[in-house]
């Protein structure tokens, strides 16, 4: 028997070596070349299609594709005439997300996306096709979002080229008219087959378990054994097929993934059990085999369900608090949540606001920046009757539009997640998890072979159990799940408390910030209860009306406060409007003009400057007076600074004058740095300089601070019932929750501790499990039960721990 087992190991070793070092493999796709191999450039290809793809990549400086992962490609299919339907303009309009001014954006499903090579080549399509401006891969969803110029180029040409290089898109027009997708029940079917077989094999194994000696049982034991063999066939070749496929792909690509030891363990149990019943050596391990696959699938099923429930990619983050202004009867303006917009609603779009939905322009001269959608920063001019696309930003003036459909919040979320605005993709825990995963499988295989060699000498009857138990019990899945479940659930908890973060990377960076920088106006102060006084020459009714309508087009907090103060019913269309960031506004109607902003901008007397927050007004180039604001600071702001100061450095960067510096010096913690008269570019440079020393958190209103928010490690826009959405920010915080910012930072740091504790628990589980497996005290079927339980326990621990933090946060009164 020991000779037989030894020979089996030799066979397995030879098999793995053959898979590892197969000679005649296609350089592009990894398939067998066969007898009709195509030789080109000292390389072998299975067909002329793969050779053509290689030539395309090589001639366009894309050969690095093969350095990332060997044989990563797919054999291209013949596409002649297949995509002629894309010549139909109406069909193309249904497929593209954006189509204006010679630019189209399309989101294509690419089923073949499977590795880093795929991502790299698809995100470098501009080297193959000069018309392509940007391309961004969503790896989990296997989609690529492509922006391209339509001059001398079409969607058909794009799809044809993707097919030629082995990345044929899946295009179904039905997908664009229906929201519901077919549910993939393959795992449920496999789980059912494995469970049915496991139950029956256990029933047939009972006589041998209890060593029942009875004539009929003894006479028909061979029938029972072959029935168990029959039940195991669908388990091995159907229920467990995904493990074999994954293991084969990994070996073919010279990678040892986690499914290699699992597939090897299943194969060993099946072959050993088959040999046992053929030569009447025993009843085999069919019970362990079917139980192993059943519990593996059960664990996978549980993980999928749990992950779907807690997934941080769900649409919860689409509900960040963007407010839009809806126009109703008698010119009444109403701020509503963006997801309440319906087809046919009339909306008011102010200067610097994001257009939330595809719409028709009714009034106003539009200058639209579509850089968030297309990457093109050049403004596009639109006139009444033109179609405007969601995601564009109005640069100057006020617009009235009519919504063509309800708001797609997931589309705005997609803009927020655009790779252009991503910061520091590789995180500490992601890097650690990837590093462990790469080395884990090799270590497990080494331990399994070493332990088996030992037991082959000591007690050959235990070799199969030891070898299989080691392969099954050790699993890095729990380590891989710790970070996404912890951070994902924490994002969900933050969202419930009106703090919306872009992704989990932001949460990890938030835990590491060493300095928090705050804007003053609109961030520390609130416009809801400002006391405003006018000093100067009284404005005529015509000037008041013009001032009101000029302010109506602006989203600046001071403009919004003044707009709400001036009770003028007449709404007029301005002939000209301009907003200079950090300076002020100018509006013209007929031969009348009005300026509102800083003293230098409107030409006020310089001596009137530094005496508080003020907005100066001039009419027809003649200085009229100023509005003086008595700032009301948000409740709990000053205690917030005191608490933050214990954990990190804090500072204020304000575009306002120094009028309130003395007051702030008295109420803020001692030696708090304060910088006034800061232009947007000054704020950006300040943040950039500070980042040389530590991680920086920037908190602003999302308007004048857009550059600083984008530059900082974590940029948070404070929302107070206005449209402050900017894809450049990392988070949106409801203004009412700003005083709890220190608690959010504290929770993010506690989340990092939960992940570290999860890593320790997972490591302890693997060490203890391997001890019992190596010493022969663990049956494979028990290992199969314990393996998913380890992942389940980590998920349960992280979920419970983060929920406890969330409950404490909820119960704690707002400071």
């Amino acid at each position: 028997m020991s000779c037989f087992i030894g020979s089996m190991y030799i066979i397995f070793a030879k098999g793995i070596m053959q898979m590892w070092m197969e000679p005649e493999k296609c350089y592009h796709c990894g398939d067998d070349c066969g007898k009709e191999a195509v030789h080109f450039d000292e390389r072998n290809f299975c067909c002329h299609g793969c050779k053509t793809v290689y030539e395309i990549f090589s001639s366009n400086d894309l050969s690095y594709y093969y350095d990332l992962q060997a044989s990563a490609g797919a054999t291209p299919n013949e596409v002649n005439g297949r995509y002629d339907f894309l010549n139909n303009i109406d069909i193309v309009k249904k497929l593209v997300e954006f189509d204006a001014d010679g630019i189209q954006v399309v989101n294509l499903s690419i089923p073949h996306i499977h590795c880093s090579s795929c991502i790299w080549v698809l995100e470098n399509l501009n080297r193959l096709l000069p018309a392509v401006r940007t391309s961004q891969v969503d790896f989990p969803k296997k989609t690529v979002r492509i922006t391209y110029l339509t001059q001398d180029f079409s969607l058909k040409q794009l799809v044809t080229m993707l097919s030629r290089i082995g990345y044929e898109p899946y295009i179904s027009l039905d997908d664009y008219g229906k929201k519901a997708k077919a549910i993939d029940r393959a795992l449920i079917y496999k789980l059912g087959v494995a469970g049915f077989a496991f139950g029956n094999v256990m029933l047939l194994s009972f006589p041998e378990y209890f060593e029942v000696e009875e004539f009929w049982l003894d006479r028909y034991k061979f029938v029972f054994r072959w029935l168990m063999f029959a039940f195991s066939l669908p388990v091995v070749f159907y229920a467990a097929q995904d493990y074999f496929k994954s293991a084969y792909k990994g070996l073919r690509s010279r990678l040892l993934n986690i499914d290699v030891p699992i597939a090897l363990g299943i194969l060993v149990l099946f072959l050993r059990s088959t040999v046992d019943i053929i030569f009447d050596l025993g009843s085999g391990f069919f019970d362990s085999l079917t139980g192993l696959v059943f519990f593996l699938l059960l664990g996978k099923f549980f993980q999928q369900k749990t992950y779907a429930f807690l997934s941080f990619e769900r649409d919860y983050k689409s509900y960040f608090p963007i407010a839009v202004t809806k126009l109703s009867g008698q010119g009444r303006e109403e701020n509503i949540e963006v997801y309440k917009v319906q087809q046919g609603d009339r909306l008011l779009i102010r200067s610097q606001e994001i257009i939330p939905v595809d719409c028709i322009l009714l009034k106003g001269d539009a200058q639209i920046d579509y850089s968030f959608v297309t990457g093109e920063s050049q403004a596009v001019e639109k006139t009444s009757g033109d179609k405007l696309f969601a995601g564009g930003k109005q640069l100057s003036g006020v617009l009235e539009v009519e919504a063509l459909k309800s708001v797609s919040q997931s589309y705005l979320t997609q803009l927020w997640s655009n790779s252009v605005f991503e910061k520091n993709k590789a995180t500490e825990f992601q890097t650690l998890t990837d590093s462990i995963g790469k080395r884990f499988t090799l270590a497990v295989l080494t331990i399994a072979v070493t332990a088996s060699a030992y037991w082959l000498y000591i007690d050959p009857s235990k070799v199969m159990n030891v070898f299989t138990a080691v392969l099954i019990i050790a699993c890095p899945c729990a380590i891989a799940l710790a970070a996404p479940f912890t951070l994902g659930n924490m994002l969900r908890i933050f969202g419930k408390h009106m703090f919306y973060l872009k992704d989990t990377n932001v949460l990890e960076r938030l835990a590491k910030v060493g300095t928090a920088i705050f804007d003053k106006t609109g961030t520390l102060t609130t416009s809801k209860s400002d006391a405003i006084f006018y000093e100067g020459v009284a404005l005529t009714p015509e000037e008041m009306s013009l001032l009101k309508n000029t302010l109506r087009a602006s989203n600046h907090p001071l403009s919004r406060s003044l707009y709400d103060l001036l009770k003028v019913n007449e709404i007029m269309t301005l002939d000209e409007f301009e907003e200079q960031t950090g300076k002020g506004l100018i509006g013209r109607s007929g031969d009348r003009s009005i300026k509102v902003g800083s003293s230098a901008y409107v030409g006020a007397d310089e001596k009137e400057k530094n005496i508080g927050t003020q907005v100066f007004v001039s009419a027809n180039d003649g200085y009229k007076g100023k509005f003086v604001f008595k700032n009301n600071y948000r409740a709990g702001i000053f205690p917030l600074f005191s608490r933050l100061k214990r954990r990190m450095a804090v500072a204020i960067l304000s575009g306002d004058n120094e009028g309130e510096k003395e007051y702030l010096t008295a109420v803020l913690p001692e030696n708090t740095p304060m910088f006034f008269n800061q232009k947007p570019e000054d704020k950006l440079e300040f943040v950039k300089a500070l980042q040389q020393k530590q991680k920086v958190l920037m908190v602003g209103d999302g308007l004048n601070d857009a550059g600083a928010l984008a530059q900082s490690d974590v940029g948070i826009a404070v929302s107070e019932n206005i449209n402050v959405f900017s894809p450049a920010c990392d988070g949106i915080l409801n203004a009412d929750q700003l005083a709890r910012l220190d608690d959010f930072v504290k929770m993010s740091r506690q989340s990092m501790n939960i992940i570290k504790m999860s890593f320790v628990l997972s490591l302890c589980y693997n060490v203890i499990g391997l001890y019992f497996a190596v010493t022969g005290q663990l049956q494979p079927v028990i290992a199969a039960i314990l393996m998913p339980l380890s992942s389940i326990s980590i998920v349960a621990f992280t979920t419970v721990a983060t929920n406890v933090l969330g409950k404490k946060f909820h119960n704690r009164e707002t400071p």
Side-chain angles (χ1 to χ4, degrees), residues 297-478:
L297 295 175
L298 187 64
K300 183 185 288 188
F301 177 76
F302 175 84
Q303 288 174 15
Q304 282 189 5
K305 288 295 182 182
T306 309
Y307 194 75
F309 178 73
L310 295 176
S311 175
F312 51 83
E313 287 190 351
R314 295 192 315 170
D315 280 343
Y316 87 87
K317 72 177 181 182
S318 300
Y319 290 86
F320 42 68
I322 303 175
V324 293
T325 304
K326 178 181 176 182
L327 297 174
S328 50
Q330 294 81 43
R332 190 165 58 89
E333 299 173 7
E334 176 188 5
N335 284 327
I336 63 171
E337 292 294 318
V338 70
Y339 56 84
K340 294 181 180 178
V341 173
Q342 299 296 323
Q343 181 179 352
D345 285 350
R346 294 188 65 162
L347 307 176
L348 187 73
I349 307 296
R350 296 185 173 88
S351 177
Q352 303 300 312
E353 279 192 351
I354 298 289
I355 298 170
V357 65
D358 292 352
C359 55
I360 294 293
L361 177 60
L362 300 178
K363 289 184 181 179
D365 295 324
Q367 288 185 307
I368 309 298
D369 176 6
Y370 281 120
S371 60
F372 293 153
V373 183
T374 66
E376 295 291 323
S377 58
Q378 186 173 357
V380 178
E381 293 188 0
K382 296 290 182 181
T383 57
S384 179
D386 288 343
K387 181 179 179 180
L388 307 180
F389 288 89
K393 183 169 74 170
Q394 165 66 345
L395 295 182
S396 182
V398 64
L399 306 178
E400 289 187 22
V401 300
E402 181 177 321
L404 292 176
K405 55 185 178 181
S406 59
V407 171
S408 171
Q409 294 165 84
S410 59
Y411 180 73
L412 293 178
T413 301
Q414 188 179 38
L415 292 181
W416 200 18
S417 302
N418 194 315
S419 61
V420 174
F421 306 105
E422 287 184 7
K423 307 172 184 176
N424 207 14
K425 290 183 181 179
T427 65
E428 177 186 344
F429 292 117
Q430 180 183 340
T431 304
L432 179 60
T433 301
D434 291 344
S435 178
I436 292 173
K438 289 177 182 178
R439 295 167 176 79
F440 196 91
T441 301
L442 184 60
V444 170
L445 288 173
T446 303
I447 293 171
V449 172
T450 304
S452 300
Y454 170 80
W455 284 105
L456 189 63
Y457 176 75
I458 301 298
D459 185 357
S461 64
K462 290 187 175 182
V463 171
M464 284 295 117
N465 282 347
V466 170
F467 184 70
T468 310
V470 170
L471 293 176
I472 301 303
I473 193 66
C475 178
C477 299

Side-chain angles (χ1 to χ4, degrees), residues 207-208 212-222 224:
E208 303 220 26
V212 177
E213 295 184 5
E214 205 272 341
F215 173 76
W216 292 106
L217 290 176
D218 189 56
R219 183 171 182 176
Y220 290 104
K221 68 180 180 181
F222 294 105
F224 293 159

Side-chain angles (χ1 to χ4, degrees), residues 27-28 40-41 43 45 50-66 120-121 127-128 165:
Y27 183 72
H28 175 68
F40 176 77
D41 199 16
R43 291 174 172 84
F45 300 92
C50 286
K51 168 183 165 290
T52 302
V53 177
Y54 170 77
E55 287 184 271
I56 292 172
F57 286 172
S58 299
S59 61
N60 288 277
D61 195 26
L62 291 171
S63 55
Y64 182 60
Y65 172 82
Y66 300 104
W120 186 81
V121 75
R127 299 191 191 183
L128 284 176
I165 63 175

Side-chain angles (χ1 to χ4, degrees), residues 80-105:
N80 289 340
R82 184 180 299 181
Y83 296 109
D84 287 346
F85 67 91
L86 292 178
N87 290 324
N88 187 312
I89 297 176
D90 292 332
I91 292 177
V92 171
K93 285 183 177 180
K94 290 182 180 180
L95 293 172
V96 298
E97 293 180 350
F98 177 89
D99 183 10
D101 302 292
I103 297 176
Q104 288 182 344
V105 179

Side-chain angles (χ1 to χ4, degrees), residues 107 122-123 134-138 143-146 414 417-420 422:
N107 205 7
L122 289 173
E123 292 193 343
T134 62
S135 50
Q136 179 186 358
V137 173
D138 187 331
T143 61
V144 58
R145 190 168 186 267
I146 303 171
Q414 188 179 38
S417 302
N418 194 315
S419 61
V420 174
E422 287 184 7

